[in-house]
């Protein structure tokens, strides 16, 4: 354990340099994760439409699980960083331990619920002939929920103390393990989609074990958890959950709302189109890597600055991140348009999917329309997390997703084409992005020192 590390110096130093320094390793980790998702989809496309549809149907539920871990990790990260800014080492330790306890408690309650509702949920989503593949893919992920959530918490702990490179290393390790095991389990052992799921589980376990080893060893780490830190502490739990709770709910609900939209896609266009719709969203996530990385870095940096009382630096960090990420996503949208034909060919090379080549190409054009504005969702939410206003971001997200579901239902019911659903997506993301940016700007203004009592939102 060290009272001062390279990471803590980064958090307390220049805010712009801190964001860039942390965003680079976070971005590398996200890039590996997204590449892994794309490779998974390509492996599944080799198994046919049902296998690809299975990943598309289960994906939102799986992402809801990872969203819980990411959300708790953000709460832990913000809490640790704030305490680093205040110079409160003991509370930082208790914040980290609380994240691990919360991951365990969540898993304890959720595993039986997920297993019991698995088949009815898949049936409701229109799995149909792909039901067996859906259950084969979902079951290993459900029973291993603890490691999926714990991995997100561990990553957040490392980012919270400025150790973004180590956070990157545990995530890259998981991706490499998954990439190696995927073809072995799927084809070599003949396990199909179930093999892909178990490869994913082992990857999450590997990441958690490496992070646990570092904290057990304690060398060059700021956080130093002892047995006493794991004792329930109401104040620390509240601090972690004030950010992590709403953020976890926001991410989980967002992905669960997607289940409804996926059902609309199936009702209009079938399970094959759903597979491509889900794959297109994963491509969008890949193009938003820089935005996600800088936003994630901003949470830790701004939380530390708030702990130090430097709201002027918080304001500068936010403006800088918004400007850079918007410019980058404009470029990424243009690249996606130019590469649409090539991407569509890669995803529809299977004999039973070639007829959807042009449909996916058009889908990528639609998605490019809202990509730049979608960057505001991440940067605005990140600032609200640092300000301990995650509940505001959660409400914004709920409204955006209600609009998403409502507009998709109208499109599917009264028009019944894929193009109508894609226009619903564009409308939702434009509205949501602008709304989140405005909410973040107002939230910062009301929190800045000098704001009147009426302006403040506690």
């Amino acid at each position: 354990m060290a009272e001062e590390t390279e990471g803590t110096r980064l958090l307390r130093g220049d805010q712009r340099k801190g964001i860039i320094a942390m965003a680079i390793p976070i971005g590398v980790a996200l890039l590996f994760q997204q590449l892994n998702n794309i490779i998974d989809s390509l492996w599944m496309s080799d198994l046919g439409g049902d296998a690809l549809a299975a990943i598309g149907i289960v994906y939102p539920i799986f992402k809801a699980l990872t969203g819980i871990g990411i959300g708790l990790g953000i709460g832990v990260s913000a809490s640790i960083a704030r305490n680093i800014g205040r110079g409160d080492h003991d509370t930082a330790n208790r914040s980290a331990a609380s994240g691990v306890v919360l991951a365990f408690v969540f898993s304890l309650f959720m595993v039986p619920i997920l297993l019991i509702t698995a088949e009815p949920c898949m049936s409701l989503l229109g799995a149909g002939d792909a039901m067996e593949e859906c259950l084969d893919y979902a079951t290993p992920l459900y029973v291993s929920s603890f490691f999926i959530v714990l991995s997100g918490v561990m990553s957040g702990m490392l980012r919270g103390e400025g150790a973004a490179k180590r956070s990157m290393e545990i995530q890259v390790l998981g991706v490499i393990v998954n990439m190696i095991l995927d073809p072995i389990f799927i084809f070599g052992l003949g396990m199909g989609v179930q093999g892909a799921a178990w490869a994913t589980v082992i990857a999450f376990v590997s990441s958690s074990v490496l992070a646990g080893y570092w904290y057990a060893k304690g060398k060059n780490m700021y956080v130093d958890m002892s047995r006493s830190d794991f004792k329930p502490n109401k104040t620390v739990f509240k601090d972690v959950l004030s950010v992590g709770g709403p953020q976890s709910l926001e991410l989980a609900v967002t992905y669960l709302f997607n289940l409804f939209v996926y059902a609309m896609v199936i009702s209009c266009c079938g399970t094959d189109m759903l597979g491509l719709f889900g794959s297109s969203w994963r491509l969008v996530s890949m193009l938003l890597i820089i935005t996600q990385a800088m936003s994630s870095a901003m949470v830790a940096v701004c939380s530390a600055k708030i702990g130090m009382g430097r709201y002027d630096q918080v304001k500068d960090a936010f403006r800088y991140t918004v400007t850079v990420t918007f410019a980058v996503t404009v470029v990424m949208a243009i690249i996606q348009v130019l590469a649409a034909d090539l991407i569509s060919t890669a995803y529809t090379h299977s004999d039973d999917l070639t007829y959807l080549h042009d449909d996916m190409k058009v889908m990528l054009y639609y998605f490019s329309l809202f990509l730049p504005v979608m960057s505001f969702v991440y940067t605005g939410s990140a600032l609200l997390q640092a300000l301990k206003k995650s509940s505001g971001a959660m409400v914004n997200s709920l409204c955006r997703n209600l609009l998403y579901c409502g507009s998709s239902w109208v499109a599917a019911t009264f028009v019944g084409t894929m193009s109508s659903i894609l226009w619903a997506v564009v409308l939702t993301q434009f509205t949501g992005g602008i709304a989140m940016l405005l909410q973040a700007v107002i939230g910062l203004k009301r929190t800045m020192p000098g704001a009147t009592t009426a302006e403040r939102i506690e």
Side-chain angles (χ1 to χ4, degrees), residues 211-258:
Y213 168 76
W214 281 333
Y215 278 114
K217 190 176 181 181
K219 185 177 181 181
N220 297 322
M221 304 295 292
Y222 179 81
V223 169
D224 178 32
M225 294 176 286
S226 64
R227 184 176 299 178
S228 61
D229 293 321
F230 287 89
K231 294 179 180 179
N233 185 303
K234 184 178 179 180
T235 302
V236 177
F237 274 138
K238 183 178 179 180
D239 188 46
V240 171
L241 289 174
S242 66
V243 175
Q247 182 62 18
S248 294
L249 184 59
E250 176 187 344
L251 291 170
V253 169
T254 295
Y255 290 119
L256 292 176
F257 269 120
N258 284 343

Side-chain angles (χ1 to χ4, degrees), residues 388-411:
K388 297 180 71 172
K389 297 180 183 293
S390 282
S391 56
M394 179 189 68
V395 171
N396 184 294
S397 180
L398 288 174
C399 292
R400 184 176 72 253
N401 281 286
L402 285 171
L403 176 62
Y404 187 25
C405 290
S407 58
S408 297
W409 177 80
V410 170

